[in-house]
Amino acid sequence: MSEQEAIRSYQLDQTKAPLLTALSEYRKKRMVSFDVPGHKQGRGNEELTRFLGKDCLSVDVNSMKMLDNLIHPTGVILEAEQLAADAFGAARCFFMVNGTTSAVQAMIMSTCLPGDKIIMPRNVHRSAVNALVLTRAIPVYVNPSLDMELGIPLGMSVNDVRRAIEENPDATAVFLNNPTYYGVCPDIKEIVSLARAAGMRVLVDEAHGTHFYFSDELPTSAMEAGADMAAVSLHKTGGSLTQSSLLLLGPNMIEEGGYVHQIINLTQTTSASYLLLSSLDITRRNLALRGEETYKRVIDYADYARCEINQLGGYYAFGGERCNGDAFYAFDLCKLPVHTRTMGLSGFEVYDILRDDYDIQVEFGDMGNFLAILSVGDRPVAIERLIAALSDIKTRFASLPETMLVNEYIEPQLVMAPTEAFYAKFERIPLEKCKGKISTESVMCYPPGIPILAPGELVTDEVLTYIREAKERGSQMTGTEDPAVEYLCVVK
Ligand SMILES: Cc1ncc(COP(=O)(O)O)c(C=O)c1O
């Protein structure tokens, strides 16, 4: 689609970038500031200005009439949000400056009251588990299913969601990832129709799904599928600044928009960064005008890399051929997950070797796979470098695969509500002595930040083995008070 065709396909004028325009005008005015921030367009912090650049500091400003206010937008921020809603096919859009974490939490907090049930796959991000603590909601976890050969969790199968809905007709919502970290998408249209028939909301974590809105070759987006809300990390694959994100509302939520906004404002800063906000505005315009062509290029790069890596032998760069019509309903072609177990190396190991020996940073490694994410900023030369490094790693390190632990799904044993456990009296004891205790905190490998253990869950042998193995293989563990993850807080 040409830029002119793209412009015509939207209702609003997507060539506009109201925040960019307003900030450019503000800069021209050479305003004298007797307000915050105290660096006063960079003059009060020379070192920082040298590092980040004068242009950057000159628009790191506070809310004012000409620049609107994120807490209660009525001017250029509101206009920029309306343009983003139009670009993403949503009824309403909120700009978020505390990451997709805040968007995920706003979805759950505006849907669940204390004690409400929410149906979700276990492989949700920590932001969703933490939202359970904040809302006192009760998770009904659905086994996300597992690809046994690759050892990765998938989306949820339609039948499992149907069963969870039938067994929990009082649940308020179904929460899902579109896609998962590995690029796996569930049958979102069918799940939306099941939930809708049962009177439940559908909340979608689309932290990794920005590009779905700008290409027909990619899986169905949440808004297209008719979901109620979606949390979209424009900063992950769209190109905006880290931490900037979007919360989208579908047409069914239009009446609830004011309430959702009040929920966002419970925790939102009153000093939203104009660097982040303008990056959302500029990125939205860029994607609306040129997104289709951009992601076509990204898909081509990823397809090329998949093909070349598979020709190296030993690795398995998997893709759409794994789709099974159910829990692996569709694949995000911009993702480049690579299975490494067949070479006797864990994904953690390849992740570390790529960084330490080749200066290549991929997104994450797990027991049997690593993930490279391709997006708007990739270049063929970098892809060639990754392929060459993988070839070299194979020559240097490949061995037999027998020592690998399969990345099994660990069925969580929720024995106490997450909030109750989080706020319970606790004791801090060595991990190895925690078997049979109830955890008050989460444990996860970061990235991807998906809990192995969450507040309210029983510590089992399986959980302990997984944590031990992940640590031995060099995964960065997070979530616990103890930075070394040697001790765990459990209910006293
Ligand atoms: C699936 C998923 N959801 C939510 C988030 C949170 O996003 P952010 O880091 O922008 O707060 C992440 C971040 O990695 C994620 O992977």
Side-chain angles (χ1 to χ4, degrees):
M1 197 193 303
S2 71
E3 228 173 276
Q4 286 312 314
E5 284 167 330
I7 291 168
R8 282 196 294 275
S9 69
Y10 293 105
Q11 284 176 9
L12 303 181
D13 179 1
Q14 292 290 338
T15 60
K16 288 170 84 180
L19 261 166
L20 169 66
T21 307
L23 281 165
S24 307
E25 278 165 17
Y26 166 83
R27 198 187 254 153
K28 271 195 236 142
K29 276 182 179 288
R30 306 173 68 89
M31 195 90 92
V32 178
S33 351
F34 283 103
D35 64 350
V36 292
H39 62 65
K40 312 254 168 149
Q41 288 104 15
R43 281 185 296 278
N45 194 336
E46 278 180 25
E47 205 178 341
L48 184 67
T49 306
R50 259 199 310 280
F51 182 63
L52 290 181
K54 200 168 178 311
D55 283 350
C56 176
L57 271 288
S58 71
V59 289
D60 181 43
V61 286
N62 202 10
S63 295
M64 63 185 73
K65 192 167 179 210
M66 69 183 291
L67 298 180
D68 208 357
N69 188 330
L70 186 63
I71 292 283
H72 191 92
T74 54
V76 284
I77 295 181
L78 181 64
E79 203 189 331
E81 288 181 334
Q82 285 165 343
L83 282 158
D86 181 43
F88 283 78
R92 186 157 178 187
C93 170
F94 296 101
F95 281 6
M96 309 296 285
V97 290
N98 187 22
T100 303
T101 294
S102 61
V104 165
Q105 293 180 343
M107 292 197 297
I108 296 179
M109 287 164 72
S110 57
T111 298
C112 297
L113 292 173
D116 279 353
K117 289 184 191 166
I118 175 164
I119 296 169
M120 49 171 57
R122 173 53 176 187
N123 52 340
V124 287
H125 184 256
R126 59 183 291 165
S127 52
V129 172
N130 290 343
L132 300 176
V133 171
L134 292 171
T135 53
R136 297 184 172 268
I138 309 293
V140 175
Y141 285 124
V142 172
N143 179 342
S145 316
L146 189 76
D147 183 314
M148 287 302 284
E149 191 192 339
L150 303 173
I152 62 164
L154 304 177
M156 295 184 286
S157 88
V158 167
N159 274 339
D160 287 347
V161 175
R162 184 180 291 114
R163 196 172 318 112
I165 289 176
E166 280 166 9
E167 288 171 3
N168 301 276
D170 53 339
T172 48
V174 177
F175 180 99
L176 55 96
N177 297 311
N178 191 50
T180 67
Y181 229 129
Y182 299 88
V184 176
C185 297
D187 185 351
I188 185 168
K189 278 194 176 149
E190 191 55 31
I191 293 176
V192 167
S193 104
L194 286 175
R196 187 132 351 277
M200 297 175 193
R201 271 191 197 163
V202 180
L203 315 180
V204 185
D205 181 342
E206 275 187 331
H208 296 274
T210 298
H211 41 302
F212 291 5
Y213 290 87
F214 301 98
S215 167
D216 290 340
E217 291 179 65
L218 294 169
T220 309
S221 69
M223 288 299 114
E224 197 185 338
D228 295 284
M229 294 196 240
V232 181
S233 291
L234 207 56
H235 74 89
K236 286 197 196 295
T237 55
S240 65
L241 290 181
T242 295
Q243 209 172 309
S244 62
S245 181
L246 303 176
L247 175 59
L248 306 178
L249 304 193
N252 296 327
M253 290 293 295
I254 207 69
E255 298 280 301
E256 307 291 326
Y259 178 67
V260 174
H261 198 196
Q262 295 292 57
I263 294 284
I264 293 170
N265 278 341
L266 284 178
T267 49
Q268 179 161 268
T269 177
T270 48
S271 311
S273 159
Y274 277 89
L275 302 180
L276 299 181
L277 294 173
S278 59
S279 86
L280 287 170
D281 194 31
I282 294 167
T283 307
R284 179 275 312 153
R285 179 168 75 176
N286 188 25
L287 294 182
L289 301 184
R290 292 172 285 275
E292 188 178 356
E293 166 202 329
T294 304
Y295 290 117
K296 168 99 193 64
R297 194 176 62 237
V298 177
I299 293 168
D300 287 347
Y301 288 167
D303 281 346
Y304 168 77
R306 250 185 293 282
C307 190
E308 292 292 310
I309 293 168
N310 285 334
Q311 279 183 15
L312 296 175
Y315 301 99
Y316 175 27
F318 55 94
E321 74 284 359
R322 306 299 295 185
C323 291
N324 61 13
D326 197 8
F328 198 148
Y329 188 76
F331 177 68
D332 171 5
L333 294 166
C334 295
K335 292 273 190 310
L336 182 61
V338 181
H339 188 60
T340 57
R341 270 180 53 213
T342 32
M343 274 200 335
L345 288 173
S346 72
F348 299 131
E349 286 163 323
V350 178
Y351 171 92
D352 282 343
I353 299 168
L354 280 170
R355 186 197 54 232
D356 296 342
D357 295 5
Y358 299 90
D359 294 331
I360 295 175
Q361 181 66 53
V362 290
E363 180 69 14
F364 78 94
D366 70 13
M367 296 287 187
N369 310 275
F370 73 84
L371 173 72
I373 290 183
L374 273 69
S375 68
V376 292
D378 282 296
R379 296 158 305 150
V381 62
I383 291 161
E384 293 300 348
R385 203 164 135 189
L386 174 65
I387 297 164
L390 291 174
S391 167
D392 207 35
I393 291 172
K394 182 184 166 204
T395 313
R396 290 170 63 202
F397 301 104
S399 66
L400 294 175
E402 75 267 352
T403 55
M404 295 294 155
L405 181 86
V406 178
N407 204 5
E408 292 278 6
Y409 172 69
I410 303 175
E411 184 86 50
Q413 298 195 27
L414 188 75
V415 289
M416 191 182 265
T419 317
E420 234 182 285
F422 184 83
Y423 291 112
K425 285 208 168 3
F426 66 91
E427 54 186 342
R428 195 175 292 105
I429 57 179
L431 204 55
E432 296 304 331
K433 294 200 173 138
C434 289
K435 188 183 161 191
K437 306 272 188 190
I438 303 168
S439 180
T440 67
E441 52 187 2
S442 295
V443 182
M444 46 223 143
C445 302
Y446 192 86
I450 293 164
I452 303 161
L453 191 66
E457 292 175 8
L458 209 59
V459 184
T460 60
D461 273 334
E462 272 176 302
V463 166
L464 291 172
T465 308
Y466 191 100
I467 296 173
R468 199 181 313 115
E469 277 278 335
K471 280 170 78 175
E472 276 166 17
R473 298 207 174 265
S475 171
Q476 190 194 341
M477 309 300 290
T478 64
T480 50
E481 261 187 35
D482 172 21
V485 199
E486 300 290 342
Y487 286 79
L488 187 67
C489 293
V490 293
V491 176
K492 207 166 182 174

